[in-house]
Amino acid sequence: MKRRYNIIALLVSILLFVQLTSTSVYAEPSPEETREILQKSLSIVEIDHEIERITQRQNELDQQQLTLTSQLQEQKEQIHIQQERAGSVVRSYYTGERDSLLMTVLGGRSFKDLFILYDYYQIIIGRDQAVLDKFQERYRSMQQTSTRIAQTAQELDELKSNLQNQRERVITLQKEVDGQVAASGNADAIQKLMNELTIYWENIGIYEVKRYFKALASAMQNLPDFIQNQNGGISTTGTTYTIRIGQNELNQFLREQNPIFNDFAFQFEEDRITASGKRDQLELSIEGHYTVENEPQNSIRFHVDKLLFNQLELPDTTRRMLEKEFDLGFYPQKILSFVKATEVSTSEGVLEVKLAISF
């Protein structure tokens, strides 16, 4: 099976080479036009997958909304009962019933009677408090359920809007591809190339891309230990700490973590990070940047701004999916527990993180 897909990959490469190097005697598409068609066809495949993910999430939220609505109705019925009990307790204090009970306790004729009556008094007061606490608990629970319903409804609205946008993107891209293929003068060859590319991407390409992202995410878990063991990796000025990571040191660290990075390298530039490599039939290029995030916890988060697979740019939906599935960030508090990141920047060959003491 793997051999079959390697043959497909080779065929795609050969066809792509032929298309990209052909002359325009028969009005065949230029190399750039061919690449654009293939890129759009790959985007259609990936956006279709995003539509599937959105639809699945929408179905999950619809079911969750039904469950929450049912829970809210039950809670309303329960709180109505609890409200009556709590009201009865409050009225007993307001009308002085509990004061009379206290006077009865204090009117005991002996210490023995006093202690017995006081025990009964504490039991009654304790039950009163339990009723009021139960009412407050049910009320808070009902409020939380109402909030979750509102949040779910908002997410559903956003999903529906996103779903509509993605469907419109697919329709637009498909029309563009159909028009370009029809005008290419070699529609059958290009259609075959698109089909073979789709087969290769869905059976090999996406899994290889995820393999790199998974290896990166795993390596980043060990980055704090690497930084701590680096001589001069952390410096301090007053209450400010600075972490500096050189691209050569990072690449060496990654290769020690996983041999998959032997043909893959990071490069730090001004406000930009690139990572690229080539192995067998796969060529991968990632471009992105780091930001400081404080939710759900303080971290240095990596954002994928551009992703190229065999020189074809993948759509934003694929980038977001990979960011969500694989955590490529790191957490400074795993290095120094009493600090938090306040700033991150890259310059030629260096990644720098500023840390401040967290109070």
Side-chain angles (χ1 to χ4, degrees), residues 8-18 193 281 310:
I8 290 174
L10 182 61
L11 177 61
V12 170
S13 299
I14 293 172
L15 287 171
L16 182 58
F17 176 79
V18 170
L193 184 59
Q281 305 298 329
N310 287 0

Side-chain angles (χ1 to χ4, degrees), residues 215 218-220 222-223 226 252-259 261:
S218 177
M220 295 306 287
N222 299 322
L223 187 63
F226 167 75
Q252 182 61 36
F253 160 74
L254 291 174
R255 287 160 190 160
E256 290 172 357
Q257 295 294 306
N258 195 319
F261 297 117

Side-chain angles (χ1 to χ4, degrees), residues 311-350:
Q311 301 181 30
L312 302 176
E313 184 173 356
L314 293 164
D316 57 312
T317 55
T318 307
R319 300 199 309 267
R320 288 200 304 267
M321 178 270 292
L322 291 169
E323 280 186 23
K324 186 175 181 180
E325 187 171 343
F326 302 101
D327 183 2
L328 303 186
F330 67 96
Y331 302 85
Q333 289 182 336
K334 290 185 178 180
I335 303 172
L336 298 170
S337 60
F338 54 88
V339 301
K340 67 176 183 179
T342 58
E343 183 182 341
V344 60
S345 62
T346 54
S347 56
E348 199 68 32
V350 178

